[in-house]
Amino acid sequence: MELYAGNWKMNRGGRDSLDLVEDLLPRVKDKPLACEVVLCPPASALFMVAERVQGTGLQLGCQNIFYEEKGAYTGEISPAFVREAGCTYAILGHSERRMYFGEGGEALAKKVEAALQWDLTPILCVGEKLEEREKGEAWAVVERQLKEALQCCNHGDVQGLVVAYEPVWAIGTGLAARPQDAQEMAESITKSLDGIKGLRVLYGGSVKPDNAGSFLGQNSIQGALVGGASLDADSFWGIVDWQSKETGS
Ligand code: PGA
């Protein structure tokens, strides 16, 4: 099933998170969803949003976890706590975390392992920088990021991993990847992780209602990770519902 995740980043983390949820709710009322839709608000809003989306079909994800369950880790958030809040997904290894917080390496691999142990489906983000693409190194970078992040997991034991291919230069810039490049990358990711059951590959990076169909129509792409456009109910739903626009229904 296709998956659309809204990464709210460090926005709408207080009571204003509920305004966005209220705007989204009429769209799921009385209509069973034909895809999975996951809202990923800041950690401070998880419990509030969870209460509001219960029973609506909308799901909840977090933007990061730590790999330990509890203890003296000031400022970190436990996989157990986000589970308790109702999360079923966890965004891990987002490029902003890689860039500003040094995310990566073994710590990220342990987070992926912890997420799986806690029944949180990782939305593992990978993607190259512009200079890496220009040097023809895009796949080498993504392959290395996948290997690194999955080093603690035996592929055959992993169920339901989501990989979001997000070229760094496309995030928040309005400059999306070319759909055929995204498809090529998604295909390579799928091939290299073929031992993983229930793998889905998303595209992320300046996805908007206007370009969603060009990515979602590709056969190796099963959804989108949406940043900026997920902060507005109309634009997020224009992406989730891209097919009705294409068919005019
Ligand atoms: P964007 O962000 O849609 O604003 O480009 C995507 C992301 O960071 O996940």
Side-chain angles (χ1 to χ4, degrees):
M1 199 185 262
E2 282 179 354
L3 171 71
Y4 296 87
N7 175 10
W8 297 2
K9 309 193 180 186
M10 203 169 74
N11 299 292
R12 293 189 178 256
R15 293 192 193 287
D16 57 350
S17 60
L18 294 182
D19 300 338
L20 182 49
V21 176
E22 288 308 324
D23 288 347
L24 288 166
L25 287 180
R27 295 153 218 262
V28 289
K29 206 168 154 258
D30 309 325
K31 258 184 279 161
L33 281 164
C35 58
E36 287 190 73
V37 179
V38 183
L39 310 181
C40 305
S44 53
L46 285 175
F47 273 94
M48 253 189 297
V49 172
E51 230 168 67
R52 223 33 219 97
V53 299
Q54 208 177 12
T56 64
L58 295 171
Q59 299 182 65
L60 195 65
C62 56
Q63 300 174 14
N64 182 33
I65 55 166
F66 191 54
Y67 48 78
E68 294 291 351
E69 179 185 350
K70 60 182 176 184
Y73 304 103
T74 302
E76 289 300 323
I77 181 157
S78 151
F81 303 164
V82 299
R83 274 299 291 170
E84 192 185 332
C87 289
T88 46
Y89 285 88
I91 298 175
L92 293 175
H94 190 279
S95 71
E96 285 148 16
R97 293 213 52 88
R98 293 178 191 266
M99 188 160 42
Y100 300 121
F101 307 102
E103 185 105 301
E106 206 187 328
L108 175 57
K110 284 162 118 177
K111 290 183 180 191
V112 172
E113 191 186 21
L116 291 166
Q117 274 167 4
W118 282 93
D119 265 339
L120 288 159
T121 302
I123 301 178
L124 173 63
C125 301
V126 294
E128 80 287 355
K129 299 189 183 113
L130 186 58
E131 59 268 26
E132 293 164 337
R133 172 156 290 271
E134 282 169 353
K135 280 195 256 166
E137 292 169 359
W139 170 241
V141 169
V142 168
E143 191 180 27
R144 177 173 46 70
Q145 290 173 337
L146 289 172
K147 277 212 178 98
E148 199 173 68
L150 297 170
Q151 63 185 280
C152 300
C153 307
N154 179 353
H155 286 194
D157 298 338
V158 177
Q159 288 240 355
L161 177 76
V162 177
V163 174
Y165 168 58
E166 299 204 307
V168 177
W169 45 271
I171 296 176
T173 58
L175 203 81
R178 292 191 311 167
Q180 60 269 41
D181 290 340
Q183 159 60 25
E184 203 176 285
M185 192 60 89
E187 196 180 344
S188 301
I189 293 169
T190 308
K191 276 194 191 136
S192 82
L193 301 180
D194 70 344
I196 294 183
K197 291 179 268 316
L199 173 78
R200 281 176 290 180
V201 181
L202 314 183
Y203 169 75
S206 296
V207 178
K208 309 281 176 225
D210 285 353
N211 63 14
S214 65
F215 295 105
L216 276 310
Q218 305 289 336
N219 51 27
S220 302
I221 298 176
Q222 287 103 26
L225 179 55
V226 185
S230 73
L231 293 171
D232 174 81
D234 284 338
S235 60
F236 188 46
W237 221 258
I239 294 168
V240 171
D241 211 18
W242 65 274
Q243 261 162 333
S244 64
K245 187 172 152 215
E246 306 265 311
T247 57
S249 60

